[in-house]
């Protein structure tokens, strides 16, 4: 959708949340961006399970005469804040593409501390999810999957990993009740423990995320 909307010049820019860098662990740390090309938007893909100051670039939008039509991509709390100030932006058109959210840690420092406490291989983790089976599913980069599979054969089997398919992602499953609570009690942001708009009700269109799993 974002590719076509830029190529067809329906909007002048796309607001998305990218990452601090492509290196781990910064790959999961958020960095808001104003994208002017489809390639820049695609570079923002991936999970960033950390609170982001996503409205920090709105002042730039407000004073930039080249941005009259904007596509904003964000989660519920970001969209709620955007709707509260959209009348001040002076835009000709504002399109809002929403996504569902998950538990977010409060800072990049807390994210590193969380991954080091939860995962056996935090340096290769690219995402995590608290699942209904009372486990945390930690997703690892494909390049590390073959090595990790030696330590967790049950995880590799559940992810469909085999010696002939080393590029498939690997999911490490960690029981929630085994987490070191004393170390993690202030990791998850307080606002995320009582989310009031998980469904992203004020977005024009909501696209759910896909958590690839076998």
């Amino acid at each position: 959708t974002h590719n076509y909307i830029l190529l067809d010049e329906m909007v002048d820019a796309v607001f998305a949340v990218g990452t601090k860098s492509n290196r781990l662990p910064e790959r999961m740390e958020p960095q808001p961006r104003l994208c002017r090309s489809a390639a820049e938007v695609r570079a923002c893909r991936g999970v960033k399970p950390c609170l982001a100051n996503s409205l920090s670039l709105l002042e730039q939008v407000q004073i930039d005469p080249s941005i009259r039509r904007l596509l904003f991509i964000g989660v519920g709390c970001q969209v709620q804040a955007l709707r509260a100030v959209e009348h001040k932006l002076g835009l000709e058109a504002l399109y809002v593409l929403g996504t569902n959210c998950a538990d977010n840690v409060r800072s990049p420092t807390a994210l590193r501390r969380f991954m080091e406490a939860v995962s056996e291989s935090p340096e290769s983790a690219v995402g995590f999810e608290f699942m209904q089976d009372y486990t945390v599913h930690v997703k690892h980069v494909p390049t590390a999957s073959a090595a990790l599979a030696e330590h967790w054969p049950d995880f590799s089997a559940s992810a469909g990993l085999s010696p002939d398919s080393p590029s498939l992602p690997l999911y490490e499953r960690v029981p929630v009740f085994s987490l070191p609570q004393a170390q993690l009690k202030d990791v998850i942001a307080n606002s995320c423990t009582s989310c009031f708009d998980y469904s992203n009700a004020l977005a024009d269109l909501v696209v759910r995320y896909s958590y690839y799993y076998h």
Side-chain angles (χ1 to χ4, degrees):
T1 301
H2 52 263
N3 290 349
Y4 293 118
I5 204 169
L6 273 169
L7 293 174
D8 293 344
E9 298 184 346
M10 291 179 60
V11 298
D12 304 308
V14 174
F15 183 100
V17 177
T19 55
K20 186 176 180 180
S21 78
N22 289 326
R23 299 186 305 272
L24 292 171
E26 291 86 358
R27 185 180 294 183
M28 288 195 291
E29 296 181 13
Q31 181 68 52
R33 302 185 187 280
L34 273 176
C35 305
R36 302 290 189 137
S37 69
E40 290 178 333
V41 177
R42 286 194 296 270
C44 293
R45 67 183 180 274
V47 176
K48 279 79 65 175
C50 184
L51 293 184
N53 187 10
S54 300
L55 303 186
S56 60
L57 296 180
L58 287 185
E59 183 177 355
Q60 182 178 336
V61 171
Q62 193 174 24
I63 64 176
D64 190 337
S66 68
I67 302 177
R68 308 307 305 156
R69 296 163 297 172
L70 177 70
L71 170 63
F72 183 96
I73 303 175
V75 296
C77 56
Q78 297 166 347
V79 174
Q80 290 277 346
L82 173 69
R83 292 301 193 190
V85 299
E86 67 173 303
H87 64 283
K88 299 181 180 180
L89 299 178
L91 295 170
E92 294 177 4
L94 173 63
Y95 306 98
V96 179
L97 180 63
T99 63
N100 295 137
C101 196
D103 298 295
N104 283 314
V105 299
R106 61 180 66 248
S107 69
T109 301
L111 175 60
R112 293 193 186 98
R113 181 155 52 92
F114 177 82
M115 297 311 303
E116 289 171 358
V118 171
S119 176
E120 293 286 343
S121 181
E123 69 279 357
S124 65
V126 293
F128 68 87
E129 183 80 9
F130 284 84
M131 302 300 286
Q132 293 89 342
D133 61 353
Y134 299 103
T135 63
V136 180
H137 291 193
V138 183
K139 182 177 180 179
H140 294 272
V141 291
T143 54
S145 294
L148 293 173
E150 296 179 3
H151 299 90
W152 301 309
D154 54 332
F155 299 146
S156 64
S158 65
L161 185 69
S162 71
D164 299 324
S165 58
S167 62
L168 290 176
L170 181 68
Y171 290 86
E172 175 188 5
R173 291 187 287 183
V174 183
V176 170
F177 299 113
S178 71
L179 301 180
Q181 299 298 323
Q183 300 177 36
L184 302 177
K185 61 181 180 179
D186 61 342
V187 167
I188 301 298
N190 292 335
S191 57
C192 295
T193 62
S194 57
C195 179
F196 62 90
D197 188 20
Y198 177 83
S199 61
N200 213 331
L202 298 185
D204 298 317
L205 176 68
V206 178
V207 180
R208 70 174 180 87
Y209 65 88
S210 176
Y211 195 75
Y212 182 82
Y213 187 72
H214 282 266

